[in-house]
Amino acid sequence: MAYEVTATRRRPQQFEDLAGQEFVAETLKNSIKTKQFAHAYLFAGPRGCGKTSTARILAKSLNCQAGGDPTCTPCGQCESCKSITNSSSMDVIEIDGASNTSVNDVRQIKDEVMFPPTSCRYKIYIIDEVHMLSTSAFNALLKTIEEPPAHVIFIFATTELQKVPATIKSRCQQYNFRLVASDRLKELLSDACREMNIQADDEALYWIAKESGGSVRDCYTLFDQVAAFSDGHITYDKIRDKLGLLGVDRLNSIFENCVSGNAEVVMNELDSFLQSGISIEQLISNSTEYLRSLLLIKNGIKKESLLGQSPERYSGAVLNGWNTIQTERGISIFLQLYRDIRYSLSPRYELELAFSRLCWLSQYVSPSEVKAAIDKAQALLCGGAQGAVGSQSASGLQSAALSQGAMGSQSVGGSQGAMGSQGAGASQGAALSQGAIGSQGAVASQGAGGSQSAALSQGAGGSQGAALSQGAGSSQGAVASQDTRVAFGTFSSPAPEKTISSEKTDATNNWTQVENTSGNAPNGMHMFSALMNAKQNNESKGENQPPFHNGGAVPPEQTAAENISYDDLENPDDGNYAPVDDDWSATGYPENDEYLADSYAEDEENQQNDLPSSEDIHASSENFVNSKGESINLKTIYDQLILKLSKENAMTGSALMQTASWKLNRNCISTEIDSDFQFNKIKENLQLINGIISDICGETVTFEIKKKEIKTEQSNVEVPAQIKMLCSIFKGTIVGGKQ
């Protein structure tokens, strides 16, 4: 007997033999039992999944002569069943739609359907690849398949359902065939091996089943090819060597070197693979499948039918070397590589570039990981709000105070700092006044390692302003190299119309005075590159040269080392320093150190009185009494809640510290807050807050938060040029000021 390929020899002959098409088989069997079969069927699905085989089984079931009526189990022995199996029946006509596409072929069918079957109950037309028919041929079929003679049944099969006109679909019963699972294909291959007396390893059969892509016919075809060179024993090693596959062992080797970053070894291994005859497309495909299997293992999936190999065969070094996100990134690299090589100058270069990227994949950080790190940093920075972080004081010489410090909330860098530490004769003092930039005043003055104090005043007319000064040199105090004064609120004297910025032009203490009346940043002040104006870029004309070195501070070798006292600010010895305006000159205030110290102390005391502490706000005489008669003070509830949230949700705890005084109304605690950000933060975690408070109180207590309405008052105070300058630099707006 002539050799018959496995796909033909093992073609299903009964509905029960259909692999993976249980729904189609059961539906057709039930319709035959109830004699409610249709006059036209449309079988759609991928290649090799049993469409034509199902059509033949249905034809045999309807025409089987073993019984008087159609049967679900055709005998396969009668003349009708044999002729249909051999494709020789006169009443079951199989037509190839790809080669009979014209309207003339359909007209021939229309003429033939008028004649009754010769030996069978039904004349059945099986048209394969029906989507290949022309539009005119489909139109010619419409009337025939809608109302055919009672003895005619049409069965259409197609792999591209979308190409079949809707008018044809609406006249047919449609059945969708599915791809077959790898486990089921492996069972079919095992049966074929037993039938042919061939030994086969499970790993090899799993590979064949996986490579077939769910098609039974492709599976049997590949099986015949592998069996031909396996000499009666199919192993994965033989498949790998004969078909030019990489194999898990080789992939483990090259990917282990990728994890360790050995780019040189990786490139050499890659070259050896290509020299051995493995194609670039095959290498990309195998590498992608390898990384996919690693990803499945990382997610706890160890099913061999999905992996194609035993999980133990994959390298532990690769599994532990890359996390899930990095493995996903590796898969995306190869998927994109497969798309790129079609239009690449050199596919090999693209492949080598992909493996080079894998060598530093261990350093890849995903955007989600960056966001998580930023969130942790934000929680860490914002967790210590409302309290003095650090304070050092030694006879008023070195003092620094950080209070109400919440990054992005109330103050940055320091508010309510030590104001009394800076007097005449005090050294190394730093006076911080009135909070963050852009809220109430400007920031700081710094004495630099010398005996002289930084030149500080209280703005124009004692208005709680501050002066920005930067000391330069190892022995000098702050010499007002950039003197930008900020005055805010009510003035006892008119605000200055102009500011003086002093610029150092050389290393010999030669200073020039530049007048600024525009409200923009003076020449020489460091700005963002996007905000640089034309005046600052006018270096070619030699005007207004900035005193910074490469956009930063003046290097030490260019700074002056001479001592300049406070009295020298008005009349420097070199005679090149022009006197500042009257509001800032030494004659504007009494030249009395005691007066200055008293002024700073008084200003500090006023600020402390203006900003009540957190403890004063949340102190309460109200007590909550639960159903058990237990009483707990509202302040105690607040303290315990903050303590609990500082461990579980620091940002929410920080936001609760900024709330107004708490009020108790039966089983409800209410308060309000100014900040939109903190209000939203509390609202997001309201369920958590309610749970903690209820645990503290011993019964259900709700917490309500409201947004405080801030009434803005119109002020007719003229905004100084310095404030306009700061707003111009930082693109900010004035949001408040103390009147």
Side-chain angles (χ1 to χ4, degrees):
M1 183 177 181
Y3 173 75
E4 191 175 15
V5 297
T6 305
T8 304
R9 186 178 67 256
R10 293 181 58 82
R11 182 186 290 272
Q13 302 299 325
Q14 299 286 339
F15 285 116
E16 289 78 7
D17 298 336
L18 291 172
Q21 314 302 334
E22 289 77 10
F23 168 76
V24 175
E26 289 297 323
T27 305
L28 293 177
K29 286 167 64 177
N30 290 334
S31 64
I32 293 173
K33 289 178 182 178
T34 58
K35 297 182 181 180
Q36 295 179 352
F37 33 85
H39 58 273
Y41 294 90
L42 178 59
F43 294 163
R47 69 184 187 279
C49 59
K51 299 184 294 295
T52 305
S53 298
T54 304
R56 290 185 179 183
I57 296 173
L58 179 60
K60 288 191 291 184
S61 298
L62 296 176
N63 291 325
C64 183
Q65 299 173 352
D69 295 321
T71 177
C72 298
T73 56
C75 66
Q77 303 298 325
C78 62
E79 290 299 325
S80 176
C81 291
K82 288 181 180 180
S83 61
I84 293 174
T85 302
N86 298 328
S87 300
S88 59
S89 175
M90 299 295 294
D91 297 324
V92 178
I93 303 100
E94 294 190 30
I95 301 173
D96 180 18
S99 57
N100 298 275
T101 61
S102 66
V103 66
N104 292 328
D105 299 319
V106 175
R107 286 174 180 169
Q108 182 179 353
I109 296 175
K110 292 178 62 178
D111 294 339
E112 291 177 356
V113 297
M114 303 307 298
F115 297 99
T118 58
S119 60
C120 298
R121 296 188 188 91
Y122 297 95
K123 179 177 285 189
I124 299 176
Y125 287 88
I126 301 175
I127 304 179
D128 263 333
E129 304 300 331
V130 70
H131 64 274
M132 299 294 292
L133 296 181
S134 63
T135 303
S136 57
F138 274 124
N139 292 333
L141 266 178
L142 290 178
K143 189 64 177 177
T144 303
I145 65 174
E146 184 176 11
E147 295 179 358
H151 56 268
V152 175
I153 294 176
F154 288 94
I155 303 177
F156 303 135
T158 178
T159 55
E160 299 186 36
L161 181 62
Q162 72 277 4
K163 294 185 178 180
V164 179
T167 51
I168 297 293
K169 294 178 184 177
S170 64
R171 290 167 167 82
C172 304
Q173 275 193 13
Q174 183 175 328
Y175 292 85
N176 293 319
F177 287 69
R178 299 175 297 180
L179 293 172
V180 184
S182 298
D183 289 337
R184 185 74 177 100
L185 292 177
K186 193 259 181 184
E187 294 176 1
L188 296 177
L189 292 176
S190 298
D191 294 340
C193 288
R194 286 192 294 269
E195 182 182 294
M196 300 173 63
N197 295 321
I198 295 177
Q199 294 182 352
D201 295 344
D202 288 343
E203 185 178 5
L205 296 183
Y206 270 127
W207 181 86
I208 296 173
K210 185 167 66 68
E211 285 296 313
S212 64
S215 171
V216 181
R217 182 170 59 239
D218 291 359
C219 182
Y220 284 138
T221 303
L222 184 57
F223 171 78
D224 287 341
Q225 180 182 358
V226 171
F229 61 73
S230 296
D231 296 330
H233 188 191
I234 301 175
T235 63
Y236 181 76
D237 293 336
K238 291 180 180 179
I239 295 175
R240 182 194 63 193
D241 296 336
K242 298 295 183 180
L243 298 182
L245 306 178
L246 281 175
V248 178
D249 297 334
R250 294 180 182 178
L251 290 171
N252 282 337
S253 176
I254 191 171
F255 278 99
E256 284 175 357
N257 288 310
C258 288
V259 170
S260 59
N262 296 329
E264 180 181 358
V265 178
V266 169
M267 293 303 165
N268 289 330
E269 285 188 320
L270 197 59
D271 179 68
S272 65
F273 294 158
L274 297 176
Q275 292 296 333
S276 64
I278 300 175
S279 66
I280 292 178
E281 291 79 5
Q282 185 68 40
L283 204 154
I284 295 173
S285 176
N286 292 156
S287 298
T288 307
E289 292 174 0
Y290 179 85
L291 290 174
R292 169 188 173 269
S293 299
L294 293 181
L295 183 62
L296 293 176
I297 294 174
K298 283 180 174 292
N299 287 279
I301 300 174
K302 298 184 179 180
K303 197 175 181 181
E304 288 192 22
S305 59
L306 288 176
L307 302 178
Q309 307 284 344
S310 173
E312 290 75 16
R313 295 201 60 180
Y314 292 89
S315 172
V318 182
L319 283 169
N320 298 326
W322 290 335
N323 58 31
T324 302
I325 295 177
Q326 291 167 344
T327 306
E328 292 176 354
R329 177 67 176 175
I331 296 175
S332 67
I333 289 175
F334 280 106
L335 292 176
Q336 184 61 41
L337 173 63
Y338 189 79
R339 293 188 288 265
D340 292 343
I341 60 174
R342 300 172 61 188
Y343 309 102
S344 175
L345 174 66
S346 173
R348 174 165 181 164
Y349 295 168
E350 298 279 358
L351 180 65
E352 291 172 346
L353 177 60
F355 274 95
S356 177
R357 289 173 177 170
L358 291 182
C359 291
W360 53 262
L361 186 60
S362 300
Q363 304 175 17
Y364 173 75
V365 179
S366 67
S368 61
E369 291 174 310
V370 175
K371 180 182 181 301
I374 293 175
D375 290 342
K376 290 181 181 178
Q378 184 182 25
L380 180 64
L381 293 174
C382 298
Q386 291 246 1
V389 176
S391 177
Q392 290 184 349
S393 177
S395 301
L397 295 181
Q398 293 183 350
S399 65
L402 301 176
S403 65
Q404 298 184 3
M407 179 70 71
S409 58
Q410 289 192 359
S411 66
V412 179
S415 65
Q416 298 187 11
M419 296 292 297
S421 64
Q422 192 77 2
S427 63
Q428 298 181 4
L432 306 177
S433 67
Q434 289 290 338
I437 294 178
S439 60
Q440 293 186 359
V443 179
S445 65
Q446 298 178 354
S451 61
Q452 295 294 334
S453 62
L456 286 174
S457 70
Q458 293 187 357
S463 60
Q464 294 186 2
L468 274 76
S469 63
Q470 296 183 353
S474 60
S475 62
Q476 288 292 348
V479 192
S481 62
Q482 285 191 346
D483 180 13
T484 305
R485 286 154 294 101
V486 180
F488 222 109
T490 305
F491 299 91
S492 59
S493 62
E497 297 295 330
K498 60 184 179 180
T499 62
I500 302 298
S501 63
S502 300
E503 296 188 352
K504 186 173 182 180
T505 58
D506 54 32
T508 59
N509 286 339
N510 291 325
W511 302 83
T512 55
Q513 179 177 335
V514 181
E515 184 172 278
N516 182 5
T517 60
S518 64
N520 295 323
N523 292 306
M525 177 166 285
H526 183 62
M527 294 179 63
F528 299 107
S529 60
L531 302 177
M532 294 290 288
N533 53 37
K535 186 176 181 181
Q536 289 174 304
N537 290 330
N538 194 14
E539 297 180 359
S540 61
K541 299 180 180 180
E543 299 179 0
N544 302 324
Q545 296 295 329
F548 293 124
H549 176 69
N550 293 332
V554 178
E557 62 270 13
Q558 297 182 14
T559 58
E562 300 180 8
N563 293 328
I564 300 178
S565 65
Y566 177 76
D567 295 333
D568 291 335
L569 290 176
E570 184 177 8
N571 297 305
D573 294 337
D574 56 12
N576 292 329
Y577 185 85
V580 296
D581 49 47
D582 295 337
D583 290 331
W584 179 245
S585 65
T587 59
Y589 295 98
E591 299 180 6
N592 191 317
D593 295 342
E594 182 179 355
Y595 171 82
L596 291 174
D598 293 343
S599 175
Y600 296 148
E602 180 181 357
D603 188 55
E604 181 185 15
E605 182 180 356
N606 291 336
Q607 294 178 35
Q608 296 290 349
N609 293 333
D610 290 340
L611 296 176
S613 65
S614 174
E615 294 183 359
D616 293 336
I617 291 176
H618 296 98
S620 175
S621 60
E622 295 185 82
N623 294 328
F624 174 79
V625 181
N626 58 22
S627 57
K628 300 179 182 179
E630 299 172 346
S631 176
I632 183 170
N633 187 264
L634 200 58
K635 179 63 168 60
T636 304
I637 298 175
Y638 166 81
D639 291 338
Q640 294 185 16
L641 175 62
I642 297 301
L643 179 62
K644 182 73 172 176
L645 288 176
S646 64
K647 300 177 181 179
E648 299 181 3
N649 195 324
M651 291 190 66
T652 304
S654 176
L656 285 172
M657 292 180 181
Q658 313 305 322
T659 57
S661 59
W662 288 15
K663 297 180 181 180
L664 178 64
N665 184 12
R666 295 184 180 178
N667 282 37
C668 179
I669 298 175
S670 60
T671 185
E672 55 187 11
I673 197 168
D674 296 336
S675 169
D676 289 331
F677 172 78
Q678 294 169 339
F679 173 77
N680 294 330
K681 194 65 181 177
I682 295 174
K683 291 288 288 184
E684 291 175 0
N685 297 275
L686 204 56
Q687 185 176 0
L688 174 63
I689 296 172
N690 287 334
I692 296 175
I693 294 179
S694 299
D695 291 341
I696 295 172
C697 297
E699 63 180 55
T700 302
V701 177
T702 58
F703 183 83
E704 292 183 355
I705 182 72
K706 296 181 180 178
K707 181 70 174 62
K708 182 186 293 185
E709 297 182 1
I710 302 177
K711 297 182 179 179
T712 58
E713 298 181 359
Q714 298 293 334
S715 175
N716 297 324
V717 178
E718 182 179 357
V719 179
Q722 293 85 348
I723 299 299
K724 295 179 181 178
M725 176 195 68
L726 291 175
C727 292
S728 174
I729 294 173
F730 295 101
K731 285 191 174 181
T733 57
I734 301 173
V735 297
K738 183 177 288 188
Q739 294 289 345

